[in-house]
Amino acid sequence: MKKVTLLFFLCFILQIARAQTSTVKKAQNSFDKAQEYLRNNDYDQAIPLLQEAIKADPAFQFAFIQLADINRRQKLYEQAKINYTSAIALGGSPDARAYYGFAESQIYTGDYANALNNIKLFIAQYKGNDPDFMNRAKKYLRDCEFAIVALKQPVKYDPINMGPEINSVHRDYFPSVTADGTRLIFSRNINGNEDFFVSEKKDKSWSTPLPLSNKINTQKYNEGAQSISPDGLYLFFTGCNRPDGLGRCDIYVSHKNGKDWGEPFNLGAPVNTSYWESQPAISPDGSTLYFVSNRPGGLGGYDIWKSMLKADGYWSQPENLGPEINTPYDEHTPFIHPDGKTLYFSSDGWPGMGNKDIFMSRMNEAGKWSSPENLGYPINTFNEETGLIVTPDGTYGLFSSNLKGGYGDMDIYQFKMPENKKPLPITYVKGIVTDKESKVFLEAKVQVVNLKTKKVDYSDYTSKETGDFLAVMPLGGNYAFNVSADGYLFYSENYQLDSAYISKPYVVQVALEKLSTGKNMVLKNIFFNTNEYTLLPASLTELNTLQQLLKNNASLCIEIQGHTDNVGNDQQNERLSLQRAKAVYDYLVQEKIEPQRLTFKGYGENKPIAANDTDAHRRQNRRTSFIITKI
């Protein structure tokens, strides 16, 4: 679309030159000389000649229009408006495209009421046959109508500079935050070189930003437009003009192992191409990568695309997000919130304030995106707004700008998000995995499964150096949480987040026990209906983890135990607990675990782990567990 606009501009000023003359010889001579420079796009030489023509003939309407169009091309919109005003004030019937240029200049200076009148005049009078040109005019019409209403209904907006703890005399921009809100990574441009810096939040204060890693930052190339995974372990970023690049800009990833980052890896084809790929945004489960590209097959100049991580570890052929998100114009800076469903992005195609505005869209249960919603005025203005991220708790939006009173030519700011534009609420489980006896950190697999959707929302390994993990859990789900390591009894927990709002995250210390005879473990994610012993489908995640433990340790033998609370008949409770233990036994045998390695027993209410005095305590006593009988 930009090429269309530029082509129109060049044709317009040259057509005017051929079609119009002045009766004042000096004015015409200056005008003709200006055309020679304009054919070579030499505006600096053409402008004073056009000014001479106007001075010699103040009624030279098309010299005013041509000068206004050059001003508009140079984004000198206030000066353009002055020259358009002078041209139209001379009367007659100026070319309809003058009204288009006048309207565009007014839109980009926030004069929407007058812009609306002029764009209507253009649409009514334009006799050309360029559909792209007319479509853009109609888009400007929608922008004006939207902006006039938005100005009357401003949202609360008070951007606050994040202060000298984060910002510097240099250009600071493109912030990204981990899910726990304790680590901020952003780009800083020092003497033309873009690098990543990181700051840690301690006691509600940000530390002095330090260069992220010399394995990622380079002196020769620029690194920017990054996306950090919620756990802070994967950094997807844009690298341009690198020797291993497929195009001008490619998407790279680096993995943090322990305290330092690994060497960046070019994602390669099919994500990267000979075209422009940039501005990655990774979903909280790491399975979907959103990014911007101008590759063929899109709807506009720059579109948002997505690629899925396949089981073999490679990325799928990218898909365009389609007309639900993309337009015939440009979409940029996607940000997928840790809730995994709320997308923020900038666009100059959806109705807005005229330039790039920030929009929000939410994915429904069927995977379809809602119609994008403009974040409103004055979050969006006639200036270009891009690069918004939203904090994990949904409270603040972070962006970069050069607002008055900043510390450098661009600083990072934050503002409170409007209530109706907030993402969905989330919480997270965060902790460290250690050996219970030695206390040393362990390399362990951490997995979070949404038991409603059967989808793995998080699966990764901790490092031996730090043992830490962080997994996001959007509210509304019921989650199985498992931690496992070779030679150890796995850890099991269940988080039911489908009802009450959880304001605080879960912070756990996972101390895994080495496999040994007599060790006992409660299976937190084995489920039955009340007074029934048929395993519910949500139990499969835990059953498969137990099955894998037995397969990985071929000599391991266990007793599967069923337990109840004290409600009801003792004999019935004992029978029910036995039947439930046998259901687990039957499943494991069905999955090719040797029957001689398994026994089962029902203990009824005889082995409580909590007092049977409250519903919560009785729920703890209704459980399935196992004990190692041989190793």
Side-chain angles (χ1 to χ4, degrees), residues 80-339:
K81 288 196 299 183
I82 292 172
N83 286 313
Y84 281 124
T85 299
S86 298
I88 293 173
L90 290 171
S93 300
D95 190 297
R97 288 171 291 187
Y99 293 111
Y100 175 96
F102 198 4
E104 184 176 83
S105 301
Q106 291 167 326
I107 288 171
Y108 288 159
T109 53
D111 187 2
Y112 298 107
N114 288 320
L116 180 61
N117 292 331
N118 281 317
I119 205 66
K120 285 181 176 178
L121 286 171
F122 166 78
I123 291 172
Q125 296 181 23
Y126 179 58
K127 303 303 181 183
N129 57 2
D130 186 341
D132 290 329
F133 189 24
M134 181 58 76
N135 287 339
R136 181 173 278 276
K138 291 178 180 178
K139 172 206 146 18
Y140 281 157
L141 177 67
R142 293 190 296 270
D143 286 340
C144 290
E145 291 172 341
F146 172 87
I148 289 170
V149 174
L151 289 172
K152 296 175 182 177
Q153 301 172 350
V155 299
K156 189 175 182 180
Y157 177 65
D158 183 22
I160 299 172
N161 192 299
M162 293 192 70
E165 295 84 3
I166 297 297
N167 295 310
S168 69
V169 297
H170 305 288
R171 174 174 287 201
D172 302 300
Y173 52 102
F174 255 123
S176 55
V177 184
T178 53
D180 59 0
T182 63
R183 188 178 306 148
L184 173 71
I185 297 175
F186 62 94
S187 297
R188 176 172 288 174
N189 189 312
I190 302 176
N191 298 324
N193 183 249
E194 293 178 282
D195 281 333
F196 294 122
F197 281 71
V198 59
S199 176
E200 306 284 345
K201 194 172 190 179
K202 297 177 181 177
D203 300 325
K204 298 184 179 181
S205 297
W206 291 102
S207 65
T208 300
L210 297 173
L212 182 63
S213 170
N214 58 15
K215 291 183 180 179
I216 298 177
N217 292 337
T218 64
Q219 293 183 347
K220 190 174 182 180
Y221 307 108
N222 288 332
E223 298 79 34
Q226 79 287 356
S227 174
I228 187 74
S229 61
D231 60 6
L233 297 181
Y234 292 89
L235 184 76
F236 292 80
F237 68 94
T238 307
C240 297
N241 303 314
R242 292 181 172 231
D244 61 344
L246 302 183
R248 182 166 62 88
C249 291
D250 282 7
I251 296 173
Y252 292 76
V253 64
S254 177
H255 177 241
K256 188 178 184 184
N257 189 14
K259 296 182 179 180
D260 200 6
W261 291 88
E263 293 289 343
F265 173 75
N266 187 310
L267 292 188
V271 171
N272 292 319
T273 67
S274 59
Y275 293 88
W276 189 85
E277 280 79 34
S278 182
Q279 302 171 2
I282 190 68
S283 65
D285 61 1
S287 69
T288 307
L289 178 69
Y290 301 90
F291 63 95
V292 175
S293 178
N294 62 348
R295 65 178 65 200
L299 278 70
Y302 292 90
D303 280 2
I304 301 174
W305 299 70
K306 71 173 182 179
S307 179
M308 311 294 288
L309 186 64
K310 299 186 294 184
D312 60 7
Y314 289 92
W315 292 96
S316 68
Q317 186 68 36
E319 301 175 27
N320 191 285
L321 289 197
E324 290 79 14
I325 297 296
N326 293 313
T327 68
Y329 302 94
D330 289 339
E331 279 66 46
H332 278 292
T333 58
F335 168 73
I336 187 74
H337 188 266
D339 68 5

Side-chain angles (χ1 to χ4, degrees), residues 311-480:
D312 60 7
Y314 289 92
W315 292 96
S316 68
Q317 186 68 36
E319 301 175 27
N320 191 285
L321 289 197
E324 290 79 14
I325 297 296
N326 293 313
T327 68
Y329 302 94
D330 289 339
E331 279 66 46
H332 278 292
T333 58
F335 168 73
I336 187 74
H337 188 266
D339 68 5
K341 293 185 176 181
T342 308
L343 179 72
Y344 298 90
F345 64 99
S346 66
S347 171
D348 61 0
W350 295 97
M353 307 299 286
N355 209 319
K356 284 189 178 66
D357 281 9
I358 297 170
F359 294 82
M360 180 200 81
S361 176
R362 185 162 290 148
M363 184 192 299
N364 64 19
E365 294 300 325
K368 299 295 184 182
W369 294 103
S370 65
S371 182
E373 299 177 25
N374 192 297
L375 261 61
Y377 172 83
I379 295 174
N380 291 316
T381 68
F382 59 80
N383 293 312
E384 180 176 300
E385 279 79 35
T386 61
L388 175 77
I389 72 162
V390 179
T391 55
D393 63 6
T395 302
Y396 291 98
L398 271 64
F399 70 104
S400 51
S401 184
N402 56 354
L403 302 180
K404 186 178 180 181
Y407 296 90
D409 73 342
M410 186 171 280
D411 286 355
I412 298 173
Y413 291 80
Q414 64 180 7
F415 66 93
K416 284 193 173 182
M417 288 291 294
E419 286 296 326
N420 64 343
K421 298 299 189 295
K422 286 184 176 182
L424 299 173
I426 67 163
T427 188
Y428 58 86
V429 54
K430 174 183 179 180
I432 295 175
V433 183
T434 63
D435 180 294
K436 186 174 183 178
E437 294 180 5
S438 68
K439 311 300 182 185
V440 300
F441 298 128
L442 290 179
E443 183 178 29
K445 183 178 182 180
V446 179
Q447 191 175 63
V448 175
V449 179
N450 187 323
L451 296 175
K452 284 186 174 181
T453 63
K454 310 298 188 295
K455 184 173 178 287
V456 177
D457 278 3
Y458 181 86
S459 183
D460 207 348
Y461 286 86
T462 62
S463 75
K464 290 181 179 179
E465 190 175 347
T466 61
D468 59 340
F469 64 87
L470 187 155
V472 170
M473 299 183 296
L475 300 193
N478 182 13
Y479 297 93

